[in-house]
Amino acid sequence: MSKSEQIEELQEILRVDSENYRARRELALILIDSGFAKEAAQHLIYLLKKIPDDDGLYYNLGIAYEKQKIFDKAKIAYLKAIEISPNNFDAIYNLGLVYTELNDFDKGIECFKKILEQDENDSNSYFNMALCYFKKKDYINAIINFQNTLDLNEDDIYAHFYIGNILFEMKDFEDAKDEFKRVTELSSDYSWAYYNLACIAFEEGNWEQVITYLDKTLELNPKDEGAYLNYALLLTKMNMYEKAKNIMNSAVENCPNKGQICYYMAHIAKAANENEDYISCLNLALENRATLEIDVDKVMAEIERAS
């Protein structure tokens, strides 16, 4: 029986007997799995009015809120589940994820440490604790815990990726390259790894590699606005203005922030001493001002100075 058929069957049971708690609980779980988190939450809230001390209901309500990105309510639901059942480790783990989303990284770390006290081989908890440290910019503890993740799962591409990011921040380009290359070995379509390899090549002045890696980035992710911009800026520095303009034309076709992209195109034209194109692109940026990050008055002043 498909999930839609199960939903229909359970809804029919509830139409006949709205007090069938087993059917309503089962329906809520299937709704969560089927992407109907809002509807699931309504059923779980109904059940909690009837069964207020059920930690499982609060846990699943937390999941329903989390899937809707209502993290404050998810936090309250998970805390209630833990209050009723202090050893509900699934709720503790999910609470850690919610604290991370709410940028309360210290509390997130506390949750993951509680999980690791029970299971020292939980690689997911090491990873998420490392992510909290990373977002706090505590790079030493972040690396330690990403490495703990890799000790348990050496093929975790995200742990390799974040270690690479930290090493890049620390200007350890050689080791950072090793991490990003490992990511591409494990997942050949991970575009951000190629993008970061391009950034390292840029720092090292290896323009040929920059172009190779940015081409690969855009091949895998044609909507990567940052890759288009950096590619165009590099080409501009190399006086390859026509290719830079072609790159930014592709960005206009593929990316949503057309106003900002047109503003960058204007400055590529300015660098090429193409004043007419410079003004034209600035006017296009104004026409797409909803996606323009630069103050409109500043753009208008640029047009006035160039005219």
Side-chain angles (χ1 to χ4, degrees):
M1 185 184 296
S2 69
K3 285 183 179 178
S4 61
E5 290 171 331
Q6 288 177 285
I7 290 170
E8 187 175 338
E9 181 180 278
L10 290 164
Q11 286 175 332
E12 181 58 33
I13 290 172
L14 291 172
R15 277 192 285 269
V16 174
D17 177 12
S18 64
E19 296 296 305
N20 189 324
Y21 299 159
R22 181 202 61 78
R24 194 176 292 276
R25 184 191 293 258
E26 188 177 344
L27 175 59
L29 296 179
I30 295 172
L31 286 170
I32 289 173
D33 287 341
S34 302
F36 300 104
K38 183 177 180 180
E39 293 79 1
Q42 291 169 350
H43 287 290
L44 292 164
I45 291 168
Y46 176 92
L47 286 169
L48 282 165
K49 291 176 182 176
K50 307 293 183 178
I51 319 169
D53 293 326
D54 189 316
D55 67 301
L57 290 175
Y58 277 110
Y59 169 69
N60 285 302
L61 181 59
I63 292 174
Y65 282 135
E66 199 174 348
K67 286 184 177 291
Q68 297 176 77
K69 301 189 183 300
I70 308 174
F71 297 116
D72 284 325
K73 288 188 176 182
K75 178 183 75 172
I76 292 168
Y78 289 136
L79 285 170
K80 188 64 179 177
I82 296 163
E83 178 187 327
I84 295 168
S85 179
N87 291 326
N88 188 330
F89 294 110
D90 288 334
I92 294 169
Y93 178 83
N94 281 17
L95 179 61
L97 297 178
V98 166
Y99 278 134
T100 305
E101 292 288 349
L102 293 170
N103 296 327
D104 195 341
F105 303 123
D106 289 332
K107 286 186 178 178
I109 289 166
E110 287 178 16
C111 291
F112 299 126
K113 282 183 175 180
K114 285 180 183 177
I115 301 298
L116 290 165
E117 287 171 5
Q118 299 299 313
D119 181 4
E120 61 183 9
N121 293 319
D122 189 320
S123 65
N124 289 327
S125 289
Y126 279 119
F127 177 86
N128 284 295
M129 186 160 63
L131 191 58
C132 288
Y133 282 121
F134 178 83
K135 291 184 175 183
K136 289 180 63 178
K137 299 189 183 300
D138 182 347
Y139 293 139
I140 300 302
N141 277 311
I143 282 187
I144 289 169
N145 285 287
F146 282 130
Q147 188 57 56
N148 287 337
T149 305
L150 292 172
D151 290 342
L152 294 165
N153 178 12
E154 64 181 13
D155 292 340
D156 190 312
I157 62 172
Y158 302 108
H160 283 293
F161 181 76
Y162 276 105
I163 289 174
N165 275 301
I166 293 168
L167 293 170
F168 180 79
E169 287 291 324
M170 298 169 70
K171 308 295 184 185
D172 185 351
F173 297 136
E174 285 304 312
D175 287 338
K177 275 192 284 190
D178 289 343
E179 294 296 331
F180 294 132
K181 285 179 180 178
R182 180 62 177 147
V183 172
T184 63
E185 290 168 5
L186 293 168
S187 179
S188 60
D189 60 352
Y190 199 96
S191 65
W192 280 104
Y194 292 105
Y195 178 81
N196 286 357
L197 284 166
C199 291
I200 292 172
F202 182 85
E203 292 289 338
E204 295 177 335
N206 190 331
W207 312 130
E208 184 177 342
Q209 278 195 354
V210 174
I211 290 173
T212 298
Y213 287 131
L214 287 175
D215 278 337
K216 187 66 175 178
T217 301
L218 292 173
E219 174 191 330
L220 294 169
N221 184 7
K223 296 187 181 298
D224 190 332
E225 185 177 319
Y228 284 111
L229 174 60
N230 284 325
Y231 201 167
L233 290 176
L234 170 65
L235 293 168
T236 301
K237 287 184 177 182
M238 297 168 68
N239 298 323
M240 298 174 66
Y241 301 117
E242 284 304 313
K243 187 168 183 179
K245 285 191 286 185
N246 290 337
I247 290 294
M248 294 308 285
N249 283 328
S250 296
V252 169
E253 292 174 9
N254 291 294
C255 300
N257 295 323
K258 299 189 189 306
Q260 192 63 21
I261 292 167
C262 289
Y263 183 77
Y264 292 138
M265 290 175 67
H267 281 268
I268 291 170
K270 183 180 181 181
N273 293 315
E274 297 173 352
N275 196 59
E276 187 175 330
D277 284 349
Y278 172 48
I279 295 171
S280 175
C281 288
L282 288 174
N283 280 309
L284 284 173
L286 287 177
E287 289 175 17
N288 293 276
R289 65 186 63 192
T291 55
L292 179 61
E293 296 172 13
I294 305 298
D295 185 79
V296 169
D297 290 338
K298 178 181 177 182
V299 179
M300 294 177 69
E302 284 192 53
I303 293 172
E304 186 175 343
R305 286 195 299 271
S307 299

